[in-house]
């Protein structure tokens, strides 16, 4: 076996690599990046690993969410604030529902690289290189925009740093106004068939929070929350440059707290999995209809040979139609191998459809159905669904269909902004959190 070092992925099959016409540029930029300070600290990464181990054991719950493709242009106060706010609101609802501390992990401050199903796309009759995320090229529909530019890695680092700095400032400054749920923008409740159930949850949260504030117990906990960052570990020269050794000699990716390997690159013999096998961060694996149990076993073995709890999060993304068929065998494989994985459900990526007008979308009903079934499957298999993973944004986009505001195919034209996959808007995200809350609390919802 080759000795692992941050660059040893180079001798393994590499997928999804941009066709750079300037390899010297890649070298120059990554050499600079190696000299820049890390964005996160090993101590924070270890705290997250411990929290994820707790979630795997059913004592905490993971909420991971954010943009499909974060854009450099999203690095504004308004956009960061809105995304953070929706994640914080969802997390409070989920805390209420699960009666467990929620671990908040954003797809934020570095979710800039995208895997693509095809290397090219045709726009107005012109064949263009695919957009691979702002870390690689520009979404503009001309050949110059689509040229992979190594300098973008440097910009990516700076945008991630600025985004994370603002997140830290907001949280330290008490932005997490979780003790006033009555201030939430809950207008959507009025149109919802679940109105009464929602109201009961909001009232119960308000009561609990008021009670804690009255007795002086909840202040600091409610104001100061922990928040972690994550992205897909896709563009390996960038990830390598942010991989640093701590005093004990362990290697950490200090560009984010949590990294995951995407569905298209989760090959146990490939470069991406090899890279992730050597870092001490908690890592995620996306699994779905094409994940064969024998490959899955090899992935688990390669990424977690010591079977450490908190190290591996398995993010299932089957789609409502096929989750029942595929997931139980993987749950059984992990159990038989004694792998203490944290199971998390991504109900977005298996439920993407294209409308007659050619737009990618997802239906809230499919998203919810996959979640519901995934909870049921884990209950039947005696395992724990310890987390959820969403693509969402803080603004009022119209990219996913349905929900109580009733977004229709016609509405997709109104505010369709994603550079990649369709995201839940703020209202749909919060509605989803309430739906999960109802699902989890069905037996003991307050009357
Ligand atoms: C994603 O999370 O944006 C993504 C591309 O997912 P997957 O690898 O599961 O297809
Ligand atoms: Co996506």
């Amino acid at each position: 076996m080759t000795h692992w070092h941050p660059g040893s992925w180079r001798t393994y099959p590499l997928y999804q690599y941009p066709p750079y016409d300037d390899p010297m540029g890649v070298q120059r930029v990554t050499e600079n990046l190696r000299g820049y300070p890390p964005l996160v600290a090993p101590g924070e990464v270890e705290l997250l690993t411990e929290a994820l181990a707790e979630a795997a054991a059913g004592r905490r719950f993971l909420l991971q969410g954010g943009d499909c493709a974060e854009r450099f242009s999203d690095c504004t106060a308004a956009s960061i604030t809105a995304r953070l706010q929706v994640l914080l609101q969802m997390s409070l609802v989920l805390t209420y529902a699960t009666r467990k501390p929620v671990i908040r992990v954003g797809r934020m401050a570095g979710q800039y690289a995208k895997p693509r199903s095809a290397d090219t796309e045709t726009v107005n009759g012109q064949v263009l290189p695919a957009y691979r995320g702002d870390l690689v090229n520009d979404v503009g529909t001309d050949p110059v925009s689509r040229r992979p530019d190594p300098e973008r890695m440097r910009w990516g680092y700076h945008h991630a740093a600025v985004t994370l700095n603002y997140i830290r400032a907001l949280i330290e400054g008490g932005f997490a106004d979780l003790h006033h749920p009555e201030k939430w923008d809950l207008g959507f409740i009025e149109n919802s068939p679940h109105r009464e159930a929602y109201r009961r949850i909001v009232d119960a949260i308000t009561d609990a929070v008021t009670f804690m504030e009255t007795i002086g117990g909840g202040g600091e906990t409610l104001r100061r929350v922990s928040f972690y960052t994550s992205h897909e570990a896709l563009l390996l020269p960038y990830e390598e440059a942010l991989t640093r050794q701590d005093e004990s000699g362990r290697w950490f990716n200090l560009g984010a707290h949590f990294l995951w390997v995407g569905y298209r690159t989760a090959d146990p013999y490939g470069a991406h999995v090899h890279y992730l096998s050597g870092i001490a961060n908690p890592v995620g694996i996306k699994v779905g209809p094409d994940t064969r149990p024998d490959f899955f076993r090899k992935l688990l073995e390669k990424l977690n040979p010591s079977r450490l709890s908190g190290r591996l999060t398995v993010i299932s993304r089957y789609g409502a139609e096929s989750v029942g068929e595929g997931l139980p065998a993987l749950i059984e494989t992990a159990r038989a191998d004694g792998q203490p994985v944290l199971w998390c459900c991504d109900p977005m990526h298996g439920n993407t459809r294209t409308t007659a007008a050619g737009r990618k979308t997802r239906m809230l009903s499919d998203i919810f159905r996959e979640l519901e079934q995934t909870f049921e499957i884990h209950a039947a298999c005696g395992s724990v669904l310890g987390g959820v993973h969403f693509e969402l944004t803080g603004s009022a986009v119209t990219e996913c269909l349905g929900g109580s505001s009733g977004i229709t195919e016609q509405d997709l034209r109104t505010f369709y902004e994603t550079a990649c996959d369709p995201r839940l808007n703020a209202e749909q995200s919060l509605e989803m959190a309430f739906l999960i809350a109802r699902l989890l609390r069905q037996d003991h919802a307050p009357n």
Side-chain angles (χ1 to χ4, degrees):
M1 209 178 85
T2 336
H3 174 65
W4 189 96
H5 61 87
S8 54
W9 55 268
R10 289 167 198 282
T11 57
Y12 290 77
L14 179 61
Y15 312 102
Q16 297 283 339
Y17 193 69
Y20 286 112
D21 59 21
D22 177 19
M24 292 307 288
V26 175
Q27 218 170 330
R28 181 186 67 244
V29 173
T30 50
E31 249 157 48
N32 291 162
L33 285 177
R34 258 189 277 279
Y36 293 164
L39 302 180
V40 305
E44 297 172 324
V45 174
E46 284 176 328
L47 282 177
L48 175 59
T49 304
E50 285 164 23
L52 294 171
E54 293 263 298
R59 293 190 292 271
R60 285 180 188 253
F61 195 77
L62 167 67
L63 168 65
Q64 185 173 21
D67 278 304
C68 178
E70 199 180 4
R71 305 285 313 280
F72 294 165
S73 57
D74 293 327
C75 184
T76 65
S79 169
I80 297 166
T81 307
R83 281 179 282 158
L84 189 61
Q85 178 157 2
V86 72
L87 284 167
L88 292 174
Q89 289 186 343
M90 288 176 82
S91 78
L92 188 56
V93 174
L94 292 174
T95 305
Y96 168 78
T98 57
R99 295 288 194 260
K100 292 168 191 169
V102 170
I103 309 162
R104 303 163 200 88
V105 179
R107 290 173 61 117
M108 282 179 85
Q111 175 47 23
Y112 297 130
K114 295 310 299 174
R116 301 318 300 251
S117 304
D119 288 338
T120 56
E121 69 172 325
T122 305
V123 184
N124 302 328
Q126 191 179 21
V127 181
L128 293 170
Y131 169 63
R132 291 178 180 275
D134 278 11
L135 198 58
V136 174
N137 56 4
D138 188 273
V139 74
T141 51
D142 60 90
V144 174
S145 299
R146 293 291 173 92
R147 173 183 169 268
D149 181 353
E151 282 297 323
R152 287 183 159 266
M153 287 190 273
R154 193 197 313 278
W155 305 343
Y157 168 87
H158 288 294
H159 282 88
V162 171
T163 302
L164 183 53
N165 179 61
Y166 192 55
I167 292 172
R168 292 192 195 274
L170 283 171
I171 287 174
E172 282 303 307
F175 162 77
D177 201 2
L178 297 177
H179 46 309
H180 291 297
E182 72 277 9
K183 289 190 187 153
W184 297 358
D185 179 12
L186 291 170
F188 73 91
I189 284 182
E190 300 313 322
N191 309 318
S192 167
H194 311 299
R195 187 172 53 222
E196 281 315 304
Y198 290 160
R199 279 272 170 242
R200 282 204 296 272
I201 291 175
V202 175
D203 290 348
I205 293 172
T206 312
D207 269 1
V209 170
T210 311
F211 176 69
M212 285 207 287
E213 286 194 326
T214 310
I215 62 168
E220 198 49 19
T221 322
L222 293 170
R223 251 177 293 276
R224 291 269 311 273
V225 296
S226 48
F227 188 88
Y228 299 97
T229 60
S230 69
H231 62 254
E232 178 174 348
L234 185 64
L235 189 60
L236 293 181
Y238 179 84
E239 302 304 340
E240 176 187 344
L242 287 164
T243 306
R244 312 289 167 86
Q245 211 162 15
D246 74 352
E247 313 80 58
S248 72
R250 287 185 307 160
W251 291 100
F252 285 87
N253 181 314
L254 297 179
H257 300 102
F258 179 98
L259 287 306
W260 75 86
V261 62
Y263 191 51
R264 292 163 189 77
T265 49
D267 171 2
Y269 307 106
H272 292 85
V273 171
H274 177 78
Y275 167 75
L276 289 176
S277 73
I279 57 169
N281 303 58
V283 299
I285 317 171
K286 292 282 202 108
V287 298
D290 296 332
T291 310
R292 295 197 340 238
D294 53 337
F295 254 57
F296 181 59
R297 180 176 297 116
K298 294 203 169 81
L299 274 173
L300 298 179
E301 185 59 35
K302 173 108 187 178
L303 289 171
N304 196 19
S306 308
R307 291 167 170 66
L308 302 174
S309 192
R311 159 73 173 162
L312 278 189
T313 299
V314 180
I315 307 166
S316 64
R317 35 85 81 220
Y318 279 88
E321 295 311 319
S322 51
V323 61
E325 223 168 285
L327 184 57
L330 298 196
I331 295 175
E332 195 34 55
T333 301
R335 191 205 321 273
D337 267 26
Q339 281 281 1
V341 304
L342 165 59
W343 290 100
C344 176
C345 174
D346 163 1
M348 310 296 289
H349 287 88
N351 292 310
T352 314
R353 338 169 151 211
T354 307
T355 65
R359 283 219 191 265
K360 273 209 271 184
T361 190
R362 292 159 172 164
M363 297 180 56
L364 255 75
S365 52
D366 290 339
I367 293 169
F368 185 65
R369 211 151 44 88
E370 178 165 357
L371 275 169
E372 202 170 22
Q373 289 186 64
T374 306
F375 273 109
E376 282 166 12
I377 290 166
H378 282 286
C381 294
S383 52
V384 179
L385 179 62
V388 288
H389 182 121
F390 288 105
E391 283 187 342
L392 54 82
T393 191
S395 55
V397 297
T398 54
E399 299 172 1
C400 290
L401 298 173
S404 46
S405 58
I407 295 177
T408 64
E409 272 191 49
Q410 276 71 31
D411 299 323
L412 295 183
R413 268 174 289 171
T414 318
F415 196 19
Y416 192 99
E417 291 225 311
T418 184
C420 197
D421 291 335
R423 304 156 296 177
L424 300 175
N425 63 28
E427 197 173 288
Q428 290 171 326
S429 302
L430 199 50
E431 185 176 356
M432 199 49 71
F434 277 116
L435 282 169
I436 300 172
R438 251 171 35 96
L439 193 68
L440 289 169
R441 305 278 311 156
Q442 252 157 13
D443 300 336
H444 19 247
N447 292 314

